[in-house]
Amino acid sequence: MFYWLMKYVVVGPVVKAIFRPWIVGRNNVPTHGAAILASNHLSVSDSVFLPLLIDRRMSFLAKSDYFTGRGIKGWATKFFMQATGQIPIDRSGGKASEASLNTGLQVLGSGDLLGIYPEGTRSPDGKLYRGRTGIARMALEAKVPVIPIVMVDTDTAMPIGQSVPRVVRVGIVIGEPLDFSRYAGMENDRYILRSVTDEIMVALQRLGEQQYDDVYASSVKERMPRRN
């Protein structure tokens, strides 16, 4: 109830009126049943615009830091994350990664839509980077299709490090579902997981025509100078 209230009464109408977002391929999202929505990741606002523009409820796996901030800003961030259906996860690796996988599988097991950013983090420069194989494992274990989604100009509306968005029209392009049923029972084969992940990233690159760099975005961020 809270999710729908925020989407259709409190947050949704305001965001749509200000940013006038457009969407292409809405019919590629199934009307029922579980699926993974695999999106490029340009801005923190990606997790706001996508849920607002598709008809079904969806959940994103979001880093737990968004839910633990202090003060008014921390409370507001946590409130907004919950309102947009995001689920806190620990992305530190190891057992935390396994817990994140299980959380995603629970969402899919309930027949719901799960949003994932295969790159694992926001692109630091607008390029599309190498995907993490967790998305492939979820798709094969849950036996669900993967729907490629490209966010357009959300990085212009809200660049990394900026807390107040610019009024820029943003868009979403949704591609046709990818079927990986041919790999049934092979979710523990790391070569298959890499192949499936790469196929998803190719679909995203073709859909959005982003420049692709076959390295992890997190590695690029580590090499960049820290901002003051």
Side-chain angles (χ1 to χ4, degrees):
M1 182 63 181
F2 179 65
Y3 177 91
W4 299 113
L5 180 66
M6 296 297 290
K7 180 172 181 174
Y8 290 111
V9 179
V10 181
V11 176
V14 175
V15 172
K16 289 180 180 179
I18 294 175
F19 294 95
R20 299 179 298 118
W22 54 268
I23 184 169
V24 175
R26 193 196 306 266
N27 292 338
N28 286 325
V29 178
T31 57
H32 63 278
I36 293 175
L37 306 186
S39 173
N40 65 334
H41 197 13
L42 300 175
S43 167
V44 67
S45 64
D46 296 334
S47 301
V48 177
F49 288 110
L50 181 55
L52 288 179
L53 291 182
I54 63 172
D55 297 327
R56 292 179 60 188
R57 174 168 183 161
M58 65 171 294
S59 299
F60 269 106
L61 299 182
K63 62 180 181 180
S64 57
D65 294 6
Y66 288 135
F67 296 80
T68 57
R70 297 181 178 182
I72 295 177
K73 182 178 179 181
W75 176 87
T77 301
K78 178 180 178 180
F79 176 82
F80 199 79
M81 291 294 171
Q82 291 175 333
T84 52
Q86 300 193 51
I87 302 172
I89 59 168
D90 183 346
R91 300 197 307 192
S92 59
K95 292 183 178 180
S97 296
E98 189 69 24
S100 300
L101 174 70
N102 292 334
T103 299
L105 290 174
Q106 287 176 12
V107 173
L108 296 170
S110 298
D112 296 327
L113 298 178
L114 178 67
I116 297 179
Y117 300 117
E119 294 166 278
T121 186
R122 283 173 289 175
S123 170
D125 52 14
K127 293 180 182 179
L128 184 69
Y129 287 95
R130 197 173 201 226
R132 301 280 181 174
T133 59
I135 185 173
R137 187 173 169 190
M138 283 191 198
L140 297 188
E141 285 201 21
K143 300 178 176 61
V144 298
V146 176
I147 302 169
I149 294 177
V150 171
M151 308 301 297
V152 181
D153 290 333
T154 52
D155 54 339
T156 302
M158 197 164 184
I160 294 176
Q162 184 167 315
S163 57
V164 179
R166 301 168 182 166
V167 180
V168 176
R169 196 173 188 200
V170 303
I172 298 174
V173 181
I174 304 177
E176 296 182 358
L178 303 174
D179 178 15
F180 296 108
S181 58
R182 62 189 182 280
Y183 297 121
M186 305 175 74
E187 59 270 14
N188 292 319
D189 187 320
R190 62 190 181 95
Y191 296 105
I192 293 297
L193 296 182
R194 173 45 58 191
S195 177
V196 168
T197 303
D198 288 346
E199 185 173 336
I200 293 169
M201 302 314 292
V202 168
L204 287 173
Q205 195 282 324
R206 290 177 177 173
L207 196 63
E209 299 183 348
Q210 279 178 269
Q211 182 179 344
Y212 179 74
D213 195 346
D214 194 29
V215 296
Y216 291 120
S218 58
S219 299
V220 175
K221 285 185 175 181
E222 289 174 358
R223 297 195 299 266
M224 297 178 72
R226 294 184 179 274
R227 301 186 181 187
N228 295 326

